[in-house]
Amino acid sequence: DVKVTQSSRYLVKRTGEKVFLECVQDMDHENMFWYRQDPGLGLRLIYFSYDVKMKEKGDIPEGYSVSREKKERFSLILESASTNQTSMYLCASSRDTNTGELFFGEGSRLTVL
Amino acid sequence: TQLLEQSPQFLSIQEGENLTVYCNSSSVFSSLQWYRQEPGEGPVLLVTVVTGGEVKKLKRLTFQFGDARKDSSLHITAAQPGDTGLYLCAGDGGNTPLVFGKGTRLSVIA
């Protein structure tokens, strides 16, 4: 059974803290994505990666960075968390193209106080 | 910028009723995907439609891709509480990642 695993389901952090959200997929997929999901705003793409050590900005990259040192792992980093980054974060992967079926993790709900 | 508009935003119906949700754009898409997201889970792909005018059925769910490949609809017959969730459409516009609509949140009351 294919799986995308996000390291934390729930996190509570303080303003200014550095936050790491980890995502691992076991499907040998080339493409990985980070989205944030907010009520009324849908899924918004933060960053994506087509290959190891490669990254591309999505629609809302400000305040975030990513790391992809290994094919199966894609990390989202908040260098200095702010309250407006309180959200649900979803990681996804896809096989061959950036428009193929997306397999999502269960999400990480981050609250920044 | 390609946009997908979904309507309605919210829908609450009784078990057994029929419903249709819409996904519209002014842009042409090579294909369009429909996902369902249940509470506490990530979205899961239901279907991909590729050809203009295509109709696909998944049990009580019927998906249609518009002839011009700018819009799609999802029709549910005899809705059940298990159909409750957030329905998302996503379009393939070319050499960029999928474009998502904001979703239709469906609640089916027993």
Side-chain angles (χ1 to χ4, degrees), chain B residues 17-65:
Chain B
E17 291 184 10
N18 301 332
L19 66 116
T20 302
V21 300
Y22 300 93
C23 176
N24 296 307
S25 177
S26 58
S27 303
V28 176
F29 290 96
S30 302
S31 65
L32 202 137
Q33 300 174 12
W34 283 92
Y35 290 81
R36 179 170 64 206
Q37 183 179 19
E38 298 183 12
E41 303 291 331
V44 175
L45 181 69
L46 295 173
V47 77
T48 301
V49 285
V50 179
T51 306
E54 182 177 8
V55 176
K56 281 192 173 179
K57 292 193 174 185
L58 187 65
K59 297 182 180 178
R60 293 174 294 100
L61 279 61
T62 302
F63 304 85
Q64 185 161 8
F65 201 13

Side-chain angles (χ1 to χ4, degrees), chain A residues 18-109:
Chain A
K18 191 169 185 175
V19 181
F20 291 89
L21 299 179
E22 305 283 345
C23 175
V24 177
Q25 50 97 0
D26 65 0
M27 297 166 279
D28 199 35
H29 284 172
E30 301 290 334
N31 310 302
M32 297 189 74
F33 307 82
W34 274 106
Y35 293 87
R36 63 177 285 177
Q37 184 175 32
D38 301 287
L41 297 179
L43 270 66
R44 293 181 291 167
L45 182 63
I46 305 171
Y47 267 96
F48 58 103
S49 170
Y50 294 151
D51 201 354
V52 175
K53 296 192 185 295
M54 178 270 179
K55 61 185 179 184
E56 293 276 354
K57 293 181 179 179
D59 300 317
I60 53 164
E62 296 79 18
Y64 303 94
S65 62
V66 290
S67 172
R68 193 163 182 205
E69 296 296 317
K70 293 184 177 181
K71 190 176 184 179
E72 67 270 19
R73 187 180 298 269
F74 193 34
S75 303
L76 181 68
I77 303 155
L78 288 67
E79 293 288 342
S80 178
S82 63
T83 55
N84 63 12
Q85 291 178 310
T86 291
S87 186
M88 170 67 83
Y89 290 89
L90 288 164
C91 174
S93 69
S94 69
R95 182 178 299 281
D96 299 315
T97 72
N98 61 341
T99 55
E101 176 183 0
L102 290 177
F103 293 86
F104 285 88
E106 292 180 318
S108 298
R109 184 166 293 282

